[in-house]
Amino acid sequence: MEKFAVLQLSGCAGCEVSLLNADAWVDKYQLVYMPLVISASGVPEVDILLVSGGVRTDEDLHNLKRSVKKANKVVAVGTCAISGGVTNLGNREEVRNFFMNQSEQRDLPRLLADCRPIADFVKVERYLPGCPPTPELFMAVLFDPPDFKAGNSVCVECNRKKDKTMKPKRLSGHLHGNVQPGICLINQGFLCIGTSTRGGCGALCTNPGQPCVGCRGPSNAFIEKESDAWFASIKKVFSKMTEIPEPEIDSALRSAQMAMFLYQFIDYAGDNPNVPSKKEIL
Amino acid sequence: MTTLTFPLSRIEGHAQVVIEVEDGDVKSAHFKAMELRGFAHFLKDQPADQMPVIVTRICGVCSTAHHVASVKALEDAYGVEPPPLAKKIRELMMLGQMLQNQATSLFIFTMPDRLGLSIIFQEEVSQEVAKEKQGIAGRALKVRKAGTDLITLAGGQFIHPVKAVVGGVTSGIPKDDAAAMKKQLEDALPMARELFDFYWKSSETLHDRIGTWGDDRPACYIAATGKTKPDYYGDRMRLLIPDNENIIDFQSRDFRKHLDFEETDYSYSAMTTYKGNALRANSLARINIADSMGTPLADEYLSIFREIHGNPANGILLFDIARGIELVYSIERSIELLGEDLENGEPAVPHTETDGEGFGLVEAPRGPLVHRYKIKDGLIEDIEFIIPTVHNVHSIELALMTAAKRYISKEKVDMELERAVGRVVRAFDPCIACATH
Ligand code: SF4
Ligand code: SF4
Ligand code: SF4
């Protein structure tokens, strides 16, 4: 039986919980390390190492470097491991200073100034974006099932239809009730970026009525480009489908809820970005 | 001075127990939370109305609780009251969360301690154990999955729910979907009971072997559940104090009048006290505070439990048994709710965003959770998360101290100590991602 391990760095454990929702691996792979479900002292030799969470502390870094040596293949799973995820919102001077001060006061793992993607430190063979990736995506990265096919974008997987007659004049706020079924959320004034988000999640959020915030990251059309190309394109989508003033769209596209998406772009990734190529991303 | 360090697994997040011993005398027992992401800091100046999407990322184990608490905090600030249909659907989300969490804690985190294993999935074990544990993993995953599916149905997403919105929920639940979910839960109920019965029995065996249910001193218990029966949607905080006939209750916005918070230099988590006393939150607190469970099977379990352990019950390992009672309750109560009309009626009422301060309270699997948002010009001016695990830190350390004294003497450190440390910590089911956020 092939062996795999899950190394959890600083994240929310949502990626692990998602993996536990799948059971197809139980007969095919032996799980040898995953602190959430097994007591083991360290990562042994494994075929696949899944790493979730970002590098937040010196201990994260130490565990990461030590563990990848034992693995044939390293997969970065989840937005945190790939880009740092929502914690990137702390990428500001006053927050960074707060973190640095914390470490000085305590006898604990030292906090780095910000939460770093794992590819900044180790070689990553495969990327599985999502916050978290769905159980199906986890199975796809473990088994490469031939019948697995992710849509080019979330839109492709979404069961809502665009409606040319509905042209909202304002963004209707991020969240509100009374979402109309079957009709594209953009036509209802929501900031949905499913058009440019990598498919594969099955339009998990948009189908029940919540705009896509792009946790699967930019689709192949954008992933190797800088964010400007995407801003231009998505603004075009909104100017075609709505009458919402551009400045309103622009500021919403740069707001906190977009962190999971935006930080997956090269130019948001900080110095010496290590941005995956299309081929490496599932 | 000797320092014993125990890394912890089968809990959420990165934590360690450090026990200091001098000449066989236990000097201290510390529970160290080793991570910090800083949500309370990096969310400052961000748009308040986006919190329900972002704060779910505090914790993937109990994100439903954060999602609902967040929406309730905004509603409190804006002065909106969600319609009855929305409250029902939110209650279902919380029940799904409770079901999933208690199944995970019981069957994935702590069952191995009862069976002498390191994991419930594949592992080389003796014939005898293999026979006993046959089918546990598969059934445990099925029961757990029912909780996840309920969260998905009521919450719209399986890990980080999205369906609660200010003023209500995005939509009701179609009749057919509710019926299918009801059926799935009806199938899961006997499985959950069998697993729990087995769990309870093996806990008794464990008790007979080690001779204790753990630290059983009378303690203060805190929960935001109902007085007469459980209600995880949360209305008021309740405190049960030993030797006091009455339960003190107060609004979440008054929590600082009753609770004190302390930072330490050895952990990224704070700890709570009540007038200098340690507090206990989580399953046992809820079981001790509520008069009954309000569903037939759970009430049967509760009366057996009370007959043996009294009310309030105090042994640490009883947290685990209490979790099983709640598992049964969550399934029964969800079946009840899914039989009601969840399709018709207003899912949400309109609202206007205003500045101000809001408090959102829910009873999360680990205890009462409060989100406090101070909003200025639509942005977060100040934000605070009052985390259930933090209420338990002091009690975890006291219980660790009790265990350490039991197994450490001048002559030796008993091998059982390491296992005891794991059992004590897991009984509280701490969540480090939440505690440090
Ligand atoms: S990617 Fe999302 S689900 Fe995974 S650890 Fe990070 S915040 Fe949690
Ligand atoms: S709701 Fe979003 S994902 Fe669905 S069709 Fe519209 S833009 Fe695409
Ligand atoms: S719909 Fe968008 S935000 Fe939701 S899971 Fe899919 S990619 Fe992520």
Side-chain angles (χ1 to χ4, degrees), chain A residues 154-155 158 160 162 183-186 192-195 206 212:
Chain A
V154 171
C155 268
C158 178
R160 295 176 178 272
K162 311 258 187 315
I183 299 169
C184 173
L185 294 167
I186 296 183
C192 183
I193 61 164
T195 50
T206 57
C212 172

Side-chain angles (χ1 to χ4, degrees), chain B residues 136 145 212 273 276 281 322 324-325 349:
Chain B
I136 290 181
K145 177 105 191 337
T212 177
T273 49
I325 304 177
V349 292

Side-chain angles (χ1 to χ4, degrees), chain A residues 11-15 78-80 130-132, chain B residues 57 160:
Chain A
C12 83
C15 284
T79 313
C80 292
C131 181
Chain B
R57 272 74 193 182
H160 300 312

Side-chain angles (χ1 to χ4, degrees), chain A residues 73-79 82-83 119 124-130 133 137 140-141 144 148-152 196-200 214-225 260-261 263-266 274-282:
Chain A
K73 184 172 164 187
V74 176
V75 185
V77 297
T79 313
I82 292 172
S83 72
V124 174
E125 271 84 24
R126 201 103 163 91
Y127 295 78
L128 181 66
L137 285 163
V141 88
D144 266 325
F148 177 82
K149 176 105 183 66
N152 287 338
S196 23
T197 300
R198 175 175 300 277
C215 78
R216 289 268 297 143
S219 65
N220 279 346
F222 299 100
I223 188 67
E224 289 171 0
K225 297 183 183 145
M260 284 170 280
F261 183 81
Y263 284 93
Q264 297 192 43
F265 277 112
I266 307 175
N274 202 321
V275 179
S277 70
K278 288 177 199 173
K279 294 192 301 292
E280 294 166 319
I281 313 174
L282 182 80

Side-chain angles (χ1 to χ4, degrees), chain A residues 30-70:
Chain A
Q30 193 187 354
L31 177 59
V32 289
Y33 177 88
M34 178 173 174
L36 191 68
V37 300
I38 181 170
S39 332
S41 50
V43 177
E45 303 277 329
V46 287
D47 299 289
I48 298 188
L49 176 70
L50 306 179
V51 183
S52 75
V55 179
R56 182 91 211 66
T57 64
D58 56 359
E59 193 184 69
D60 284 339
L61 186 55
H62 174 75
N63 288 338
L64 175 66
K65 286 190 168 163
R66 200 177 51 174
S67 306
V68 295
K69 288 195 190 122
K70 303 286 183 66

